Amino acid sequence: MNSIVTFPNRIPVQEFEERRFKVFTDRQLDKIEAIQSLPEATLFEMKVVASVLPFRVNEYVINELINWDKVPNDPIYQLVFPQKGMLKDEHYEQMAQLHRDGADKKDIQAAAKVIRDELNPHPAGQMEMNMPELDGEVLDGVQHKYRETVLFFPAQGQTCHSYCTFCFRWAQFVGDKDLKMSSTEASKLHGYLQEHTEVTDLLVTGGDPMVMKTKSLVQYLEPLLQPEFDHIQTIRIGTKALTFWPYRFVTDKDADELIELFAKLVDAGKHVAIMAHYNHWQEITTDIAEEAIRRIRATGAEIRAQGPLIKHVNDNADDWAKLWKKEVQLGIIPYYMFVERDTGAKNYFEVPLAEAFQIYRDAMKKVSGLARTARGPSMSAGPGKVEIQGIADIQGEKVFVLRFLQGRNPDWVQRPFFAKYSETATWLHELEPAFGEEKFFFEDEFEEMKQGNG
C-alpha cells in the first residue's frame, strides 16, 4: 500500500488552530506573567540558579500544563522552573553574592563555568569512550556506545521547546562549545553507517530533533532508504515535544510534511520509534497532546515512553501507575523508568536506589500486563544499562539483584550480579559487590576499555 496516496484517510480529523510558539529564557524571567505573584525571594533564587543551569520554557507549558494553585509543589513547575536546591549551598551562595553585588556579566559567566565543570557535565564516559572515527577522524555529534545502536546529534536539534530541570544533557544548552555535541555533516553520518553494518538502530537525539524543520530532518533520514542502508532497521527519534510542544505534529507549518516523512519511512520498511520523554501524567492531559499521539500512530510509527524517577516530580508509585495506564490507553508503549543520572542538579533530584525499586514495584502492582513493559529502575552508567531486578536475602546477606539490559560488551547482557544492600546509594559507583567479592564481574574489562577509550 502506498500511504502517501491514501494518507489523509489514515489520520483522524480534528480541528486545532495554529498556535504561535513563544518561549522565555533566563533573560525574560520578568516577562513571565504567571510567576510575578511569587515571592520576591523565589524570583531571585530562579535568577541565580538560571545563571548556572539552563532555563527555557514556553507559553503552552506555563498556561496548560502547570497547576499554579499547587506551586511550588506542582510537578511540571518543578520540571521546568529553577529551584534553589538545584545548586549546592556553597555554589548557590557564591552565585547569589555576585548577583547581589551587581557583578559584571563576564564575572558571573566565569563563576558559572567553574561550577558547571564540577557537575560532571558528560557522564558515563560519553566524551571519552563513545566517540567513533571515520577515516581516522573523530566524528563530532555521533556516539557509538553499544554495538547495534548509533546516536546522532544534529546541530539543528540541539535545543528544546522547554528545558527539563533534571536534564542529563544540560551541558548542551549552556553555550559552551567545548561541552556541546553536534553535527551538520549528514555525509559523515551516512559514511559511518555504511561502514558499520552491525548497526541496526539509529537514534536521532539532542536536545530535541523535533525543534528542527522537517526539511532538515529529511536530509538525514531519507538517504537511509537506499539499499546500502538496509541494515538500519530502526530509526528512533528522542523527543520531549509530545509534552512541551505537541503542535509540532499537528498545526506547525510543516507538521503534515513531518507526519508524511514518518509514513514514508514506515512504508519503506523501516521501524520508526518515537522515544517520547514523559515524566508525569499531567503531560498528557490536553487535547492537543492526544491529537499529536494519534497522528503519529496513524503513520505506523510507534511511540515508546521513557523518563527518570525524579524527586519533587514523580517519586511516588501512584503517579507512575497513572502515567503508564494513560500511555497504554493512548497506544504508547511504556519502555523505561530510569534512575536520575549522576550529573547536573542530581543532588536535588536523586532518589536512593532502594526507594526507587520500591516505587517501581509498587507501581507495577497497580497496572495490567500491558503496562508492565516498562523496565527499571535502570541506570545508564559507564559500563551499560544496569537494572535493579530486586532486593533479596541470599545466604544471610541482604543484596540488590542486578543485571545488564545493555552493555559495552554484549556478553554482559542479562547476566545477573549482586551488590550489598544500601539505603543511601543512588548510583552504580556507590554500590559494593556482595558475598565478599572484591570487584563486580565486569570491572576489570571495563577498566581496560577506558584505558583504550573503547
Side-chain angles (χ1 to χ4, degrees):
M1 179 180 70
N2 186 333
S3 68
I4 303 304
V5 173
T6 62
F7 187 69
N9 297 324
R10 294 170 58 183
I11 301 179
V13 176
Q14 188 170 351
E15 293 297 325
F16 289 88
E17 291 185 7
E18 185 178 346
R19 184 164 176 172
R20 184 171 66 94
F21 179 73
K22 185 175 182 180
V23 70
F24 302 91
T25 68
D26 60 309
R27 295 185 296 277
Q28 292 102 31
L29 277 167
D30 60 337
K31 300 291 193 299
I32 303 175
E33 187 176 340
I35 66 172
Q36 300 313 311
S37 59
L38 296 178
E40 188 174 332
T42 299
L43 298 179
F44 178 73
E45 290 166 3
M46 285 186 184
K47 182 179 179 181
V48 171
V49 175
S51 64
V52 178
L53 296 169
F55 167 72
R56 178 178 167 96
V57 67
N58 69 66
E59 274 192 332
Y60 168 77
V61 175
I62 294 169
N63 295 333
E64 300 193 39
L65 297 187
I66 295 173
N67 183 341
W68 289 96
D69 291 335
K70 293 185 177 180
V71 167
N73 297 319
D74 179 82
I76 310 302
Y77 173 80
Q78 291 281 334
L79 185 67
V80 294
F81 279 93
Q83 310 296 317
K84 180 181 179 182
M86 287 167 56
L87 295 181
K88 293 180 180 179
D89 289 344
E90 60 269 27
H91 290 159
Y92 177 84
E93 287 305 321
Q94 177 188 352
M95 296 303 296
Q97 194 59 51
L98 287 172
H99 283 278
R100 294 187 194 106
D101 294 343
D104 183 87
K105 182 179 179 181
K106 289 185 178 178
D107 292 335
I108 291 175
Q109 289 176 337
K113 180 171 176 25
V114 173
I115 293 172
R116 289 169 189 151
D117 288 343
E118 295 182 30
L119 299 180
N120 190 21
H122 285 300
Q126 61 185 13
M127 295 298 278
E128 297 81 20
M129 301 182 69
N130 302 350
M131 303 289 284
E133 294 184 357
L134 179 67
D135 299 328
E137 294 184 6
V138 173
L139 283 180
D140 292 329
V142 178
Q143 296 260 300
H144 194 178
K145 180 177 181 178
Y146 305 126
R147 180 182 58 193
E148 299 87 359
T149 305
V150 162
L151 278 63
F152 180 60
F153 297 77
Q156 305 96 322
Q158 298 316 305
T159 186
C160 298
H161 295 99
S162 293
Y163 291 151
C164 295
T165 44
F166 68 83
C167 182
F168 81 94
R169 291 213 176 109
W170 61 270
Q172 292 283 92
F173 315 131
V174 294
D176 189 334
K177 292 182 180 179
D178 293 336
L179 295 179
K180 194 168 185 175
M181 295 178 289
S182 67
S183 175
T184 58
E185 299 185 84
S187 62
K188 289 189 176 180
L189 167 68
H190 297 148
Y192 184 79
L193 293 177
Q194 278 185 272
E195 284 193 4
H196 290 268
T197 55
E198 77 277 12
V199 176
T200 59
D201 290 40
L202 173 67
L203 170 56
V204 187
T205 186
D208 193 328
M210 291 296 96
V211 303
M212 298 166 60
K213 299 295 184 185
T214 301
K215 64 181 181 181
S216 296
L217 197 58
V218 165
Q219 70 171 320
Y220 296 119
L221 299 185
E222 276 201 352
L224 301 179
L225 302 183
Q226 300 302 315
E228 57 266 34
F229 297 105
D230 283 350
H231 58 289
I232 305 298
Q233 300 170 2
T234 299
I235 296 170
R236 308 186 205 175
I237 299 174
T239 183
K240 188 75 177 177
L242 281 164
T243 288
F244 285 159
W245 190 246
Y247 295 91
R248 177 69 189 93
F249 307 94
V250 183
T251 63
D252 276 8
K253 294 190 186 313
D254 61 347
D256 287 346
E257 288 85 349
L258 178 64
I259 295 297
E260 288 172 6
L261 173 63
F262 293 164
K264 184 175 183 178
L265 295 171
V266 169
D267 283 358
K270 300 297 184 185
H271 179 176
V272 177
I274 307 303
M275 314 305 291
H277 296 251
Y278 288 117
N279 304 106
H280 196 274
W281 54 263
Q282 280 180 214
E283 298 175 272
I284 39 179
T285 54
T286 63
D287 289 342
I288 189 68
E290 291 197 17
E291 179 65 11
I293 292 164
R294 284 194 292 268
R295 292 197 100 210
I296 291 170
R297 293 187 64 232
T299 68
E302 71 175 20
I303 304 172
R304 290 179 177 262
Q306 56 190 20
L309 175 63
I310 318 160
K311 194 173 182 179
H312 311 291
V313 174
N314 59 17
D315 54 332
N316 67 85
D318 288 342
D319 282 338
W320 277 96
K322 189 170 182 177
L323 173 64
W324 287 335
K325 287 178 181 178
K326 183 66 174 178
E327 288 168 354
V328 169
Q329 178 189 348
L330 296 175
I332 299 170
I333 303 167
Y335 187 49
Y336 267 118
M337 173 199 275
F338 287 117
V339 176
E340 173 63 3
R341 289 203 190 189
D342 55 337
T343 181
K346 183 175 188 283
N347 60 293
Y348 184 71
F349 293 116
E350 65 187 356
V351 175
L353 298 176
E355 182 181 346
F357 175 74
Q358 193 59 53
I359 290 171
Y360 173 82
R361 184 168 181 263
D362 288 345
M364 278 288 163
K365 290 190 289 187
K366 298 173 185 287
V367 299
S368 73
L370 287 179
R372 292 180 182 176
T373 53
R375 296 177 291 183
S378 173
M379 293 173 277
S380 288
K385 286 187 174 71
V386 177
E387 179 189 46
I388 305 167
Q389 285 200 282
I391 297 169
D393 287 295
I394 300 176
Q395 297 178 350
E397 184 173 346
K398 192 173 186 179
V399 298
F400 287 116
V401 183
L402 309 168
R403 68 167 175 171
F404 278 97
L405 294 172
Q406 182 63 282
R408 289 189 183 272
N409 180 347
D411 192 51
W412 300 346
V413 174
Q414 299 294 317
R415 181 171 171 181
F417 61 106
F418 305 90
K420 293 180 181 178
Y421 178 80
S422 168
E423 291 280 355
T424 59
T426 61
W427 198 249
L428 183 63
H429 68 255
E430 299 174 25
L431 296 178
E432 300 178 21
F435 311 131
E437 297 290 331
E438 292 185 7
K439 297 179 181 180
F440 293 118
F441 77 89
F442 58 87
E443 285 194 72
D444 286 339
E445 187 176 355
F446 180 54
E447 285 301 317
E448 291 177 9
M449 291 178 179
K450 287 198 289 186
Q451 295 299 321
N453 292 327

